[in-house]
């Protein structure tokens, strides 16, 4: 019984002795790996600071700048980790980490594909700048002022004061009308007036009304055309250009134009 115990003790001692020898042999590699990882850690922090400042010059969004700097930070950190593991001769661990990262990335890609699409669209919107905070845009059936541009979604405030949150993927994939980037907008009205021998008088009256409105752009064409006849009525096409700087310019001037034209024509017995 004591002999069996002695053999077990010798087996354990030999195993521990071999581990100690391996640890002593690996000590230089371990020190070198620690130094390499520490250097890459410092390099990752320095790179994160540099890339954050550089990306802030390209984009006003702090979220995008933080994302870019964090990606570079993680890249250098992983590179230092893989080099350190190679120095420690842990090649199988490196292979397992890479394979696991690939599988996890693939699974997350399928699970959060909508989130990823919104995320990538948000990056494109931030850098391409089809619109900015404060711009009046029209997209996905909504019109309003852009209140915030985030990585996942964009928030608009409509004329009714409603906050509308639209996923960036829907904005990126559908047409956008940016009213703030359109300095001038054309008003086009079509209506009918009774057929009579005073069409020239009616034309001059409508032209004077348009020219007399202070909000109409003076150096852009103002037209009044008779475009057709419908029974006992004549089709009128009236157009002019207005400034698009204020939120309600188009709607307000259209309202005033319709009111003045109809009131004047009715007073003159031409409508």
């Amino acid at each position: 019984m004591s002999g069996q115990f002695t053999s077990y003790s010798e087996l354990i001692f030999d195993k521990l002795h071999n581990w100690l020898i391996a640890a002593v042999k690996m000590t230089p590699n371990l020190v070198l790996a620690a130094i390499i990882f520490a250097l890459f850690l410092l390099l990752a922090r320095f790179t994160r600071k540099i890339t954050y400042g550089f990306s802030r010059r390209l984009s006003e969004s702090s979220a995008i700048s933080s994302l870019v700097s964090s990606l570079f930070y993680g890249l250098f950190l992983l590179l230092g980790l893989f080099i350190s593991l190679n120095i420690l001769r842990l090649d199988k661990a490196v292979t397992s980490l890479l394979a696991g990262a690939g599988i996890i990335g693939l699974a997350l890609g399928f699970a959060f594909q909508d989130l990823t699409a919104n995320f990538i669209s948000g990056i494109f919107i931030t850098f391409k700048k089809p619109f900015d905070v404060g711009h009046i845009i029209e997209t996905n059936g909504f019109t309003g002022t852009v209140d915030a541009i985030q990585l996942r979604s964009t928030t608009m405030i409509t004329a009714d004061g409603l906050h509308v949150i639209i996923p960036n993927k829907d904005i990126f994939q559908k047409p956008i009308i940016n009213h703030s980037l359109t300095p001038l907008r054309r008003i086009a009205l079509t209506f009918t007036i009774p057929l009579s021998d005073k069409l020239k008088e009616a034309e001059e009256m409508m032209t004077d009304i348009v020219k007399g409105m202070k909000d109409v752009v003076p150096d852009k064409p103002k037209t009044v055309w008779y475009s057709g006849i419908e029974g006992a009525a004549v089709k009128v096409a009236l157009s002019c250009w207005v400034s698009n700087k204020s939120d309600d310019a188009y709607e307000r001037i259209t309202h005033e134009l319709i009111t003045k034209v109809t009131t004047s024509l009715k007073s003159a017995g031409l409508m």
Side-chain angles (χ1 to χ4, degrees):
M1 184 70 177
S2 60
Q4 187 177 5
F5 177 77
T6 303
S7 62
Y8 285 154
S9 299
E10 291 177 354
L11 182 62
I12 294 173
F13 177 78
D14 290 340
K15 194 67 173 178
L16 293 175
H17 181 68
N18 292 334
W19 283 354
L20 180 61
I21 293 174
V24 171
K25 289 181 179 180
M26 285 297 294
T27 299
N29 293 39
L30 182 62
V31 173
L32 179 60
I35 294 174
I36 292 294
F37 185 76
L39 289 176
F40 269 92
L41 179 60
L42 294 175
L43 181 61
R45 291 178 178 177
F46 176 75
T47 305
R48 179 172 60 182
K49 183 178 179 180
I50 294 297
T51 52
Y52 182 83
F54 180 73
S55 59
R56 283 291 286 175
R57 296 179 182 177
L58 299 177
S59 171
E60 297 178 356
S61 173
S62 59
I64 291 293
S65 301
S66 299
L67 171 66
V68 173
S69 60
S70 297
L71 287 176
F72 276 94
Y73 177 80
L75 179 64
F76 277 93
L77 209 59
L78 286 176
L79 184 60
L81 177 62
F82 290 151
I83 293 176
S84 300
L85 291 176
N86 277 325
I87 293 174
L88 294 174
R89 299 175 184 177
L90 298 175
D91 300 336
K92 292 183 178 179
V94 174
T95 305
S96 300
L97 284 174
L98 290 174
I103 294 173
I104 292 174
L106 185 63
L108 290 176
F110 279 110
F112 300 102
Q113 53 184 336
D114 287 339
L115 182 62
T116 304
N118 288 323
F119 184 77
I120 296 174
S121 299
I123 294 176
F124 273 100
I125 289 173
T126 302
F127 280 101
K128 289 294 183 179
K129 288 187 176 297
F131 55 84
D132 209 339
V133 174
H135 284 186
I136 302 171
I137 66 170
E138 183 178 347
T139 182
N140 289 272
F142 296 98
T143 301
T145 304
V146 178
D147 182 62
I149 304 173
Q150 299 173 334
L151 291 178
R152 194 194 69 83
S153 61
T154 296
T155 304
M156 296 167 48
I157 301 178
T158 66
D160 300 328
L162 301 176
H163 284 68
V164 181
I165 301 175
I166 305 176
N168 287 329
K169 180 185 69 172
D170 295 338
I171 296 177
F172 188 72
Q173 293 177 347
K174 294 181 180 180
I176 304 171
I177 300 176
N178 192 329
H179 295 280
S180 297
L181 296 182
T182 308
L184 300 178
R185 188 172 179 182
R186 181 172 176 264
I187 294 178
L189 301 177
T190 57
F191 53 94
T192 61
I193 61 175
L195 184 61
S196 68
D197 57 355
K198 296 183 179 180
L199 294 181
K200 186 63 177 177
E201 181 182 346
E203 178 186 350
E204 293 175 353
M205 184 178 295
M206 288 184 283
T207 303
D208 291 340
I209 290 173
V210 176
K211 289 182 178 180
M213 296 184 66
K214 62 178 181 179
D215 293 315
V216 173
V217 180
D219 56 348
K220 296 293 287 184
K222 296 167 280 292
T223 59
V224 177
W225 298 100
Y226 295 123
S227 57
I229 298 176
E230 291 184 353
V234 180
K235 295 175 63 177
V236 182
L238 186 152
S239 66
C240 62
W241 292 81
V242 297
S243 175
N244 202 33
K245 291 182 179 179
S246 60
D247 299 356
D248 62 342
Y250 179 84
E251 291 80 6
R252 177 173 51 82
I253 298 172
T254 300
H255 168 78
E256 293 178 1
L257 193 58
I258 292 174
T259 303
K260 289 183 178 181
V261 168
T262 54
T263 302
S264 300
L265 291 179
K266 283 184 178 181
S267 298
L270 299 173
M271 180 177 278

